[in-house]
Amino acid sequence: MIKLLQIKEASKRIEKYIHLTPILTSSVLNDRTGADLFFKCENFQKSGSFKIRGVTNTVLQLTEQELEKGVVTVSSGNHGAALAKAVAKLGISPKIIMPKNTPKVKVDNVIRNGGEIIWCEPNQVSRNNTLNNILQKTSSTLVHPYDDSRIIEGQGTAALELLNQISNLDMVVTPVSGGGLLTGTLCSIIGVNKDIKVYGAEPIEADDAYRSLISGYIEKNETTNTICDGLRAQIGKITFPIIKDNVNGIFTLTEEEIIISMRLIWETMKIIVEPSCSIALAAVIKNRNIFDGKRVGIILSGGNVDLNNLPW
């Protein structure tokens, strides 16, 4: 379990390198869900997602020797872009292993921030094999996208800010993929107010976290055929035990439910969000009986969307 003190230290460490993102509300969406919704807009964050938080917290703690070796990671886009941005001022071009089906907007974001892309097949085995091959051939330092306590500490700062910005929340909902954001959120909220319930939202087409929660063991994704390109990763060995012991539930959503939610946010709130974060609103809409009458924080995790390939 990550301590609240560690997350507060991470918040101070990264403060001047990130945005304090705003909270937005929508009376239309409140009426639709029966809840008072408070959207933490990490889609407005530097590099377009919450990922800059964990990456910055990690990079700032790397030694000169580790940085001199170069850095490498695996990413569906947002983590890679965040890492490239974080180390650009140090004159480092990180190696970013990315699946071949990554949306162009996320590829361009990595390149624009100075990352060197190494392609892999769109599955966990290929990602791991490609990464291990690079680590064996080079002395590069791995900055893992989620299974690292420093990453989790950084991601937890989003929820810590949310709690400082909005009082008397009853529940918080975040997307879940590898689990860094959900784990960081859990650790922040448990440290501040254990009475606040925390839920994760996951596509049915990549529901390893949901099935792992049921079995009590890490389950592999049987498919990653989801529009939520940021939620295709395997739940982590560090993140899963914390999630298993503390989360109040994980909701699974269909592709149609996710797309409807994404469009609702675009049309009612007039902001750009990607499917991987609109899934959190989809979970609230689908489970109105749980959220009705509650004050609910929703972390909008990112806004890197291919505008030439919208799902509608």
Side-chain angles (χ1 to χ4, degrees), residues 37-83:
L37 305 179
F38 301 91
F39 295 88
K40 177 65 170 167
C41 292
E42 289 295 289
N43 53 318
F44 296 160
Q45 188 54 264
K46 290 185 178 181
S47 77
S49 83
F50 74 96
K51 291 286 191 177
I52 195 71
R53 295 175 179 273
V55 160
T56 302
N57 188 54
T58 303
V59 168
L60 290 175
Q61 296 181 77
L62 295 178
T63 65
E64 288 187 15
Q65 292 78 13
E66 287 174 317
L67 290 170
E68 287 173 358
K69 293 177 181 178
V71 294
V72 63
T73 195
V74 292
S75 173
S76 60
N78 286 342
H79 173 73
L83 178 59

Side-chain angles (χ1 to χ4, degrees), residues 217-232:
Y217 302 94
I218 293 178
E219 303 284 351
K220 294 182 179 180
N221 271 318
E222 296 178 355
T223 173
T224 55
N225 185 29
T226 174
I227 191 174
C228 299
D229 56 274
L231 305 184
R232 295 169 179 164

